[in-house]
């Protein structure tokens, strides 16, 4: 049996400080495996990633072991779309996600070749049960056959933000008949430790939030209202999670509402219908409704925690729905679309 072609894939948006440490080390630690490629997708970084690759990675680009793609289309980091685009660019039989802060360790590509050569009905993960907290920065590591990934429509692109998007992918790979294979060698799972806030700082929520309001409903429930700079909004009710999970709360079924908002003097309108009156103390009260006011919260640290937890809650709601539906394929007929430049000069359209 010949060697499998392995694609070690990394997407990066403004994480140059991590790529500088991990990418050269990962290439050097796997260059002895003859059928490996490193695919780096620069997801519209503005921190000098392109210049650094030009100045420091030329030898790897010329040898073909490194393939560099850049897209200038996204304004925000979208973890599902970016991965789908990334894996469609990969040419290997086996694709492996390796986050920008992850070290593969020595011989990772050879390890994947051995594992998949002996088991053709698996997908490889780090630790889906989150049993080992010291591996938390490697939870995004996974590998599978590219044909399997494409056959289920990749990651669910309705799950835009941080949380549950890989678990949903694993559920659907399982529905395809693939079995979970856990990496036991922790030398292959080293990562740069950093705060959770850095994981979401380039995403839509934090970069586009205009105002956040909370309405207290009871000791274990609240109503949240998010007004974004692009004049979209999201409103929902959250309640205590009755099942033991990692989530602080869950969406009240049927309460998630999305639309557009406008502002006129002292009035805020949702979908040009519901009218809310602003007051000097930061309150927002719905006209002809006496069930309480929304209070504006603008503490930056608190907002970061809300952004992280809210994305988990919304994504988990979609995960539960996909489980109920026993979904196999998501995204319809098209996913991971985008226009990229290959190695600084060749334009490629992915549909």
């Amino acid at each position: 049996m010949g060697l499998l072609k392995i694609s070690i894939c990394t997407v990066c948006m403004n994480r140059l400080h991590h790529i500088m440490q991990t990418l050269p080390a990962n290439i050097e630690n796997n260059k002895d495996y003859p059928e490996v490629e490193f695919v780096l997708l620069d997801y519209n970084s503005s921190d000098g990633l392109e210049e650094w690759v030009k100045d420091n990675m030329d030898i790897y680009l010329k040898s073909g072991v490194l393939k560099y793609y850049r897209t200038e289309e996204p304004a925000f980091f979208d973890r599902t779309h970016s991965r789908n685009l990334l894996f469609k660019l990969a040419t290997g039989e086996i694709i492996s996600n390796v986050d920008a802060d992850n070290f593969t360790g020595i011989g990772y590509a050879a390890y994947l070749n051995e594992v998949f050569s002996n088991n053709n009905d698996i997908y490889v993960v780090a630790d889906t049960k989150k049993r080992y907290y010291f591996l938390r920065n490697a939870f995004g590591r996974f590998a599978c056959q590219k044909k399997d990934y494409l056959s289920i429509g990749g990651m669910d692109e309705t799950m835009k933000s941080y949380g549950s998007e890989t678990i949903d992918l694993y559920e659907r790979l399982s529905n395809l008949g693939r079995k979970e294979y856990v990496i036991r060698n922790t030398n292959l799972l080293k990562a740069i430790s950093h705060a959770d806030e850095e994981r979401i700082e380039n995403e839509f929520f934090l970069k586009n939030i205009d105002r956040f309001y909370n309405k207290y409903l009871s000791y274990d429930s609240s109503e949240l209202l998010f007004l974004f700079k692009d004049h979209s909004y999201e409103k929902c009710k959250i309640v205590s999670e009755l099942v033991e999970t990692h989530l602080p709360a869950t969406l009240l079924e049927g309460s998630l509402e999305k639309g557009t908002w406008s502002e006129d003097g002292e009035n805020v309108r949702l979908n040009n219908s519901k009218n809310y009156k602003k007051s000097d103390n930061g309150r927002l009260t719905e006209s002809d409704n006496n069930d309480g006011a929304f209070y504006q919260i603008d503490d930056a640290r608190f907002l970061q925690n809300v952004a992280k937890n809210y994305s988990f809650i919304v994504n988990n709601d979609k995960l539960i729905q996909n489980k109920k539906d026993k979904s196999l394929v998501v995204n319809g007929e098209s996913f991971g679309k985008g226009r990229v430049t290959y190695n600084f000069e060749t334009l490629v359209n992915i549909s």
Side-chain angles (χ1 to χ4, degrees):
M1 180 181 294
L3 297 176
L4 297 170
K5 185 169 184 180
I6 309 293
S7 296
I8 297 178
C9 306
T10 300
V11 63
C12 183
M13 188 181 203
N14 296 330
R15 301 280 286 275
L16 173 59
H17 55 296
H18 289 158
I19 287 290
M20 291 171 63
Q21 299 178 65
T22 59
L23 184 60
N26 291 342
I27 293 175
E28 286 297 313
N29 283 332
N30 291 276
K31 67 180 183 180
D32 291 341
Y33 184 78
E35 291 295 322
V36 66
E37 67 172 3
F38 285 80
V39 184
L40 174 62
L41 174 59
D42 178 346
Y43 205 66
N44 204 12
S45 295
S46 58
D47 61 352
L49 176 59
E50 183 175 27
E51 291 74 19
W52 179 84
V53 172
K54 283 182 180 178
D55 294 342
N56 296 275
M57 306 301 286
D58 186 61
I59 186 172
Y60 301 121
L61 293 169
K62 287 180 176 177
S63 71
V65 70
L66 173 62
K67 296 178 178 179
Y68 172 77
Y69 295 90
R70 175 176 170 84
T71 177
E72 298 186 350
E73 294 177 325
F76 310 101
F77 186 65
D78 184 330
R79 61 188 56 248
T80 53
H81 170 264
S82 64
R83 263 68 175 195
N84 286 343
L85 177 57
L86 172 68
F87 296 136
K88 289 178 93 170
L89 294 168
T91 63
E93 298 160 88
I94 306 302
I95 53 175
S96 177
N97 185 69
V98 176
D99 288 341
D101 57 4
N102 272 217
F103 294 100
T104 64
I106 298 172
Y108 179 64
Y111 168 83
L112 291 179
N113 176 70
E114 179 181 2
V115 168
F116 280 98
S117 293
N118 293 325
N119 309 272
N120 61 9
D121 63 345
I122 61 167
Y123 60 94
V124 171
V125 299
D127 181 21
T128 56
K129 307 303 182 187
K130 299 189 176 182
R131 291 159 289 201
Y132 307 110
Y133 189 79
F134 71 93
L135 293 178
R136 63 191 300 270
N137 289 304
F139 286 161
R141 181 79 62 89
F142 70 85
C144 66
Q145 297 181 74
K146 182 176 179 179
K147 65 180 182 65
D148 288 346
Y149 190 89
L150 296 179
S151 71
I152 63 172
M155 288 189 172
D156 188 337
E157 292 188 8
T158 66
M159 303 172 80
K160 294 292 184 183
S161 302
Y162 180 64
S164 299
E165 73 283 351
T166 52
I167 301 301
D168 175 70
L169 176 71
Y170 304 155
E171 289 282 345
R172 289 183 289 108
L173 284 170
S174 296
N175 291 342
L176 187 66
R178 303 298 176 252
K179 300 173 184 175
E180 178 186 276
Y181 187 100
V182 178
I183 300 172
R184 302 295 182 186
N185 183 355
T186 57
N187 289 323
L188 304 177
L189 299 173
K190 305 295 185 183
I192 300 168
S193 181
H194 59 87
D196 281 341
E197 288 73 22
E198 192 171 6
R199 303 180 200 279
I200 61 174
E201 64 183 359
N202 292 298
E203 294 183 358
F204 172 87
F205 190 102
L206 281 181
K207 296 190 79 170
N208 202 38
I209 188 70
D210 185 88
R211 272 166 277 171
F212 164 52
Y213 294 91
N214 177 62
K215 180 194 290 186
Y216 173 83
L217 299 177
S218 69
Y219 76 94
D220 64 350
S221 62
S222 293
E223 188 168 12
L224 309 180
L225 173 61
F226 304 98
L227 303 181
F228 296 105
K229 294 174 184 176
D230 65 354
H231 285 274
S232 65
Y233 80 87
E234 294 187 21
K235 186 159 73 76
C236 67
K237 294 178 181 178
I238 58 171
V239 296
S240 293
E241 176 59 82
L242 300 180
V243 180
E244 186 177 351
T245 71
H246 60 285
L247 297 173
T250 188
L251 286 179
L252 181 66
E253 186 174 358
S255 71
L256 182 59
E257 175 186 318
K258 298 182 180 183
T260 58
W261 67 279
S262 60
E263 190 170 24
D264 178 18
E266 296 300 315
N267 299 303
V268 173
R269 291 185 178 87
L270 305 186
N271 289 335
N272 294 319
S273 57
K274 290 184 179 179
N275 189 66
Y276 292 82
K277 184 82 171 178
K278 295 189 295 183
S279 61
D280 294 337
N281 57 9
R283 295 183 184 181
L284 203 61
T285 306
E286 185 177 358
S287 301
D288 303 320
N289 190 335
N290 297 317
D291 67 349
F294 283 100
Y295 290 80
Q296 184 174 351
I297 299 175
D298 53 14
D299 180 83
R301 181 68 177 177
F302 185 80
L303 190 58
Q304 286 178 330
N305 286 327
V306 169
K308 179 181 65 175
N309 289 323
Y310 179 67
S311 68
F312 259 115
I313 291 168
V314 172
N315 282 358
N316 192 69
D317 192 61
K318 186 62 167 64
L319 170 65
I320 291 171
Q321 189 59 53
N322 283 348
K323 281 184 177 181
K324 286 181 179 177
D325 296 340
K326 292 183 168 53
S327 297
L328 179 62
V329 181
V330 293
N331 299 321
E333 295 181 357
S334 182
F335 62 97
K337 297 171 62 175
R339 181 172 8 183
V340 299
T341 302
Y342 170 60
N343 284 1
F344 319 110
E345 55 186 27
T346 304
L347 190 63
V348 181
N349 285 300
I350 303 298
S351 59

